[in-house]
């Protein structure tokens, strides 16, 4: 006969032990903690400056998604795809906006290391700076004043497929070319 015993040494630990019921010997043990949730990272932006980023982990994948600001509504969100009140950076992978429905994807990392993605780092970091400016200076809850999600889309191409050399706000998201 084997018993399963749960042991909590601290709030950050959750060990599961399988114990032989007759001898008391530990047959197997493993740490069973849910690692999904907010994370932080430091990475270089387009100017080579180290920036602190709020990211979000789901399983072994990290997303450029900031759920750590007061406007975030966890109970209304479906993460990682539909954060209500989050700051999210997405990638169009050098495709034009008319491809947005089929080619738009999350900016992701398997290790929470973003140094190979300085465009994403700059967009994500500066979206938080923008949020903090409107919150601290004008007491606005996000850009729309109602806790709306702040979305940045990077690597947008011109309609002819060439690199876009500019950035724009379309009323829904901040768009960045990579030309």
């Amino acid at each position: 006969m084997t018993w399963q015993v749960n042991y909590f040494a601290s709030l950050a630990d959750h060990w599961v032990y399988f114990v032989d019921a007759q001898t008391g010997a530990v047959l197997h043990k493993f740490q069973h903690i849910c690692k999904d949730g907010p994370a932080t990272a430091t990475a270089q932006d387009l100017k080579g400056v180290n920036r602190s980023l709020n990211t979000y982990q789901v399983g072994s994948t990290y997303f450029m998604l900031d759920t750590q600001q007061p406007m975030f509504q966890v109970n209304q969100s479906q993460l990682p795809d539909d954060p209500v009140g989050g700051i999210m950076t997405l990638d169009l992978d050098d495709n034009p906006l008319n491809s947005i429905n089929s080619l738009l994807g999350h900016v992701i990392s398997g290790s929470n290391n973003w140094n190979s993605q300085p465009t994403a780092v700059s967009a994500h970091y500066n979206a938080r700076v923008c949020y903090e400016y409107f919150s601290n200076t004008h007491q606005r809850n996000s850009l729309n004043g109602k806790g709306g999600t702040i979305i940045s889309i990077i690597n947008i191409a011109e309609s002819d497929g060439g690199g876009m050399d500019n950035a724009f706000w379309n009323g829904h998201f901040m768009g960045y070319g990579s030309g």
Side-chain angles (χ1 to χ4, degrees), residues 108-150:
I108 61 172
S109 168
S111 63
N112 208 21
N113 182 325
W114 306 94
N115 284 324
S116 66
Q117 301 183 59
T119 301
V121 170
S122 290
H124 198 63
Y125 173 80
N126 286 307
R128 187 181 80 215
V129 169
C130 183
Y131 164 76
E132 290 170 349
Y133 167 77
F134 280 99
S135 177
N136 297 333
T137 304
H138 303 288
Q139 291 70 51
R140 283 181 68 92
N141 185 18
S142 187
L143 301 180
N144 68 356
K146 299 176 185 174
T149 302
I150 298 173

Side-chain angles (χ1 to χ4, degrees), residues 15-34:
W15 285 91
V16 176
Y17 290 84
F18 292 89
V19 180
D20 184 298
Q22 293 184 348
T23 67
V26 175
L27 302 173
H28 177 67
K29 70 177 183 176
F30 65 93
Q31 190 165 13
H32 182 69
I33 58 172
C34 178

Side-chain angles (χ1 to χ4, degrees), residues 12-157:
D13 290 328
H14 178 195
W15 285 91
V16 176
Y17 290 84
F18 292 89
V19 180
D20 184 298
Q22 293 184 348
T23 67
V26 175
L27 302 173
H28 177 67
K29 70 177 183 176
F30 65 93
Q31 190 165 13
H32 182 69
I33 58 172
C34 178
K35 295 184 179 183
D36 289 3
T40 58
T42 301
Q44 288 188 352
D45 67 8
L46 285 167
K47 294 183 178 182
V49 177
N50 282 329
R51 301 296 188 183
S52 176
L53 303 172
N54 293 327
T55 60
Y56 195 87
Q57 182 181 4
V58 177
S60 61
T61 303
Y62 293 86
F63 295 82
M64 274 219 174
L65 174 58
D66 182 351
T67 61
Q68 299 181 49
Q69 305 309 319
M71 67 182 181
F72 178 65
Q73 300 296 315
V74 67
N75 294 334
Q76 298 174 24
S77 297
Q78 297 293 319
L79 298 177
D81 297 323
D82 189 17
V84 177
I87 300 174
M88 180 166 54
T89 303
L90 302 169
D91 191 348
L92 200 48
D93 199 26
D94 293 318
N95 289 288
L97 278 176
N98 61 2
S99 304
I100 198 165
N101 291 331
S102 60
L103 300 172
L104 185 64
H106 285 282
V107 178
I108 61 172
S109 168
S111 63
N112 208 21
N113 182 325
W114 306 94
N115 284 324
S116 66
Q117 301 183 59
T119 301
V121 170
S122 290
H124 198 63
Y125 173 80
N126 286 307
R128 187 181 80 215
V129 169
C130 183
Y131 164 76
E132 290 170 349
Y133 167 77
F134 280 99
S135 177
N136 297 333
T137 304
H138 303 288
Q139 291 70 51
R140 283 181 68 92
N141 185 18
S142 187
L143 301 180
N144 68 356
K146 299 176 185 174
T149 302
I150 298 173
I151 300 171
S152 299
I153 300 177
I154 61 170
N155 299 319
I156 299 172

